[in-house]
Amino acid sequence: NHTKKTTQIMSRQITQPVNQVRLTNVAVVRLSRAGHRFEVACYRNKIVNYRQGTETDLSEVLQTERVFTNVSKGQFANSKTLKKCFDTADETEVCRFILDRGDVQVSDQERAAQLESTVREVASMVSEKCVDPANRRPYTMAQIRDAMKASGFMVHPARNVKQQFLDCVKLLQKKGVLNIERAKMQLALVLSFSGDCGDVDDEDNGHMQRRKNAVNLLVEEGVARSDILPPNNDSDTRIVFQSDPALYRKMEGIARNPLVLGRLEIIQQCVAEEGDVTLGSELERRAQQQQQNARSEEEARNLSLADEANVVDLSHNLERNLTMKENAPLSFEDDKHESHTATKKPANSRKAQKAAQKKSKKAKRREKEEQADREQRIAAEKNRQRERAERLGLTEDNNAICVATDGNEGGGGGNTKPCNTCGGAFTPGEYRSHFRSDWHRYNVKLKMKSVAPVSEKEFLLCDSDAFFE
């Protein structure tokens, strides 16, 4: 029994050798190449530093300068495989290659910690570089992180933190979760002295002109006049103003402008109110804000008045030009020339004019033909009436007598109603039936042909074919 116990103790010591190297705090970088998998064992907090260039010593990055096929099992890659896949058997060079191009195996806890660190950096940058536009005071980290969650901003652990900060500010402004804007920079535009002018007065005049040019250029690029501090005196060469950080490149361009000839200096990166809020400071801030609003409204009113004056002047000029054109005599050729030049496409307008002329000529020709046909019908009807009258032995006096007698046949009394077409007078009972009679209808046709009407006796003597013509 004693021998059995001693053999068991010895076997335990053999299975657990003292010279075994246990890898702790390991981050594995893996790379697949030419159908083989290669791994290196690194320290967790050194891989990012190596890839950023802050750490160059491989002994500080790698736990062991060996190339593995499987780190967890402790299997090394042989030199023949390295030579085949990397064209070299030097494991140091292969380790550098794997560190540069391999994939880092990160656990869930490490990924969550890295994401939390990135979120903290972005929120800290927003808190430092952004303010509330109402009181020019920064927000706290807790407020910004709550706003980031409410707006749905997602942090990417591999992207640049500054770019994510800019995207976060844009999203917060778009969603309206926070009334936020980037804190303005306080800059100074220093005008340089030009030694070309010997006279002091000329130098002062040139300096004042350059200062005016600089202020006008700043206002054109988006700097408010209220953010430009007034000069201490006429000889002050510094223009101190506050500007949005996004306009910094444009401010540098203004400083290099030949009309300004100056240099740009940064006085303060982020302008924000500091200290506790007191009643006096709050009242002073509101009074300044009201003054700025009143000044901006006055400028807008002046601009609107100037625009209205310009519009009135333009309208007067247009009316004057129109009256001059109306009063000026124009010949037919000039009028035709102006009508051609006024159109954008003279070729199309000429075609349209030709088509209109053709249509008018056709209409006139058609009207002449219709008039000739009408005159021919009237002449033929008059000839037919004359022939019928000669055949019956009637004259115009007899026709007039017949018509007059027909008009008096209705009898006396004021109850008769005349017919303007036929010329007779009828009682109320006969008046309605007269308008339905063939005699009245025949006289209506004659009236439409500009022919004199016939009496009832003449109508009875007419042929039936003449009524249906």
Side-chain angles (χ1 to χ4, degrees):
N1 295 334
H2 180 69
T3 56
K4 288 182 180 180
K5 289 182 180 179
T6 54
T7 55
Q8 289 177 358
I9 292 171
M10 291 177 62
S11 64
R12 289 174 186 173
Q13 292 177 352
I14 290 172
T15 56
Q16 296 179 356
V18 179
N19 60 352
Q20 182 181 3
V21 178
R22 293 184 179 272
L23 300 177
T24 58
N25 190 21
V26 177
V28 178
V29 181
R30 184 177 299 166
L31 178 68
S32 297
R33 190 176 179 86
H36 298 275
R37 187 178 69 176
F38 302 96
E39 297 177 350
V40 291
C42 310
Y43 294 102
R44 296 182 185 276
N45 52 353
K46 291 293 183 178
I47 300 174
V48 178
N49 296 337
Y50 176 80
R51 290 187 172 181
Q52 291 178 352
T54 57
E55 185 64 57
T56 57
D57 190 4
L58 283 182
S59 61
E60 297 292 333
V61 179
L62 299 175
Q63 297 218 5
T64 177
E65 295 182 5
R66 294 293 305 274
V67 180
F68 295 84
T69 57
N70 195 331
V71 173
S72 61
K73 295 181 180 180
Q75 297 175 356
F76 297 105
N78 54 23
S79 58
K80 185 177 180 180
T81 306
L82 295 177
K83 183 69 175 178
K84 177 184 176 182
C85 298
F86 297 97
D87 296 333
T88 181
D90 189 2
E91 294 192 3
T92 304
E93 296 296 329
V94 175
C95 289
R96 290 183 182 276
F97 189 85
I98 294 173
L99 286 174
D100 291 335
R101 302 189 182 184
D103 298 330
V104 183
Q105 306 299 316
V106 183
S107 63
D108 295 339
Q109 295 180 354
E110 291 175 347
R111 189 178 293 106
Q114 186 177 1
L115 188 64
E116 178 65 23
S117 176
T118 308
V119 171
R120 195 181 301 110
E121 290 181 7
V122 173
S124 176
M125 191 173 291
V126 173
S127 177
E128 292 174 359
K129 297 183 180 296
C130 296
V131 294
D132 185 1
N135 52 19
R136 297 292 179 184
R137 293 182 179 275
Y139 289 100
T140 61
M141 288 275 293
Q143 289 176 321
I144 292 171
R145 295 195 65 168
D146 293 341
M148 290 169 64
K149 291 180 181 179
S151 62
F153 180 73
M154 302 297 294
V155 176
H156 197 282
R159 287 185 62 194
N160 189 9
V161 177
K162 185 175 181 180
Q163 186 62 40
Q164 295 192 69
F165 151 71
L166 296 175
D167 296 341
C168 179
V169 174
K170 291 179 182 178
L171 184 61
L172 292 177
Q173 291 175 346
K174 182 179 179 181
K175 296 288 186 178
V177 180
L178 278 181
N179 189 15
I180 193 171
E181 69 176 8
R182 292 195 62 183
K184 294 183 178 181
M185 299 175 64
Q186 190 170 10
L187 305 174
L189 183 59
V190 183
L191 302 178
S192 60
F193 288 99
S194 58
D196 297 336
C197 298
D199 193 357
V200 178
D201 296 335
D202 294 341
E203 179 69 25
D204 292 339
N205 293 332
H207 164 71
M208 293 178 64
Q209 184 62 35
R210 285 191 296 149
R211 184 181 182 87
K212 289 181 181 178
N213 295 336
V215 172
N216 292 333
L217 290 174
L218 290 175
V219 173
E220 289 179 1
E221 293 296 340
V223 178
R225 289 189 178 272
S226 59
D227 292 336
I228 302 175
L229 299 181
N232 297 327
N233 48 44
D234 294 339
S235 61
D236 191 4
T237 60
R238 290 167 60 88
I239 304 175
V240 181
F241 62 95
Q242 295 181 5
S243 172
D244 191 90
L247 302 176
Y248 182 76
R249 299 296 180 188
K250 295 182 180 180
M251 300 300 107
E252 284 186 339
I254 293 174
R256 294 191 297 267
N257 196 308
L259 299 176
V260 178
L261 295 177
R263 69 178 187 274
L264 194 64
E265 295 181 356
I266 299 176
I267 300 176
Q268 190 175 355
Q269 286 282 355
C270 299
V271 179
E273 296 288 338
E274 297 179 355
D276 297 333
V277 179
T278 59
L279 181 61
S281 63
E282 186 67 19
L283 292 176
E284 184 179 359
R285 183 189 63 79
R286 290 188 178 182
Q288 292 178 357
Q289 187 174 4
Q290 290 177 359
Q291 290 178 0
Q292 292 179 1
N293 294 335
R295 192 181 299 109
S296 62
E297 289 178 358
E298 185 177 359
E299 291 178 357
R301 194 180 303 109
N302 294 332
L303 290 174
S304 63
L305 291 175
D307 294 338
E308 290 178 359
N310 293 331
V311 170
V312 171
D313 294 339
L314 289 173
S315 62
H316 288 322
N317 293 332
L318 289 173
E319 290 178 358
R320 192 180 302 110
N321 294 332
L322 289 174
T323 53
M324 290 175 64
K325 288 182 179 180
E326 290 176 357
N327 296 330
L330 294 176
S331 62
F332 176 77
E333 294 295 330
D334 295 337
D335 193 6
K336 186 176 180 181
H337 178 69
E338 288 181 3
S339 64
H340 280 297
T341 55
T343 56
K344 293 183 179 179
K345 297 181 180 179
N348 295 339
S349 63
R350 196 177 297 111
K351 290 181 180 179
Q353 288 179 358
K354 289 183 179 180
Q357 289 176 0
K358 289 181 179 180
K359 288 183 179 179
S360 62
K361 288 181 180 179
K362 289 181 179 180
K364 290 180 180 179
R365 192 183 301 112
R366 192 182 305 109
E367 186 177 357
K368 288 181 180 179
E369 292 176 357
E370 291 178 356
Q371 183 67 20
D373 294 340
R374 192 181 302 108
E375 290 177 356
Q376 289 178 1
R377 289 197 301 270
I378 291 172
E381 184 65 25
K382 287 182 178 180
N383 292 330
R384 191 172 61 82
Q385 293 286 346
R386 191 180 301 109
E387 291 176 357
R388 186 175 67 252
E390 291 177 355
R391 185 173 63 252
L392 296 174
L394 298 174
T395 61
E396 294 181 359
D397 295 336
N398 294 332
N399 292 337
I401 293 169
C402 293
V403 172
T405 54
D406 290 337
N408 294 328
E409 283 178 358
N415 295 329
T416 59
K417 294 183 179 181
C419 177
N420 296 328
T421 303
C422 300
F426 307 93
T427 59
E430 297 175 352
Y431 189 74
R432 186 180 297 276
S433 61
H434 168 71
F435 278 92
R436 298 177 183 175
S437 63
D438 295 337
W439 173 37
H440 179 77
R441 290 161 59 189
Y442 182 71
N443 282 333
V444 169
K445 287 186 178 182
L446 294 178
K447 186 176 181 181
M448 291 174 65
K449 295 179 180 180
S450 301
V451 180
V454 298
S455 62
E456 188 176 5
K457 292 181 179 180
E458 291 178 343
F459 174 72
L460 294 175
L461 295 174
C462 291
D463 298 333
S464 59
D465 296 336
F467 178 75
F468 293 103
E469 286 182 356

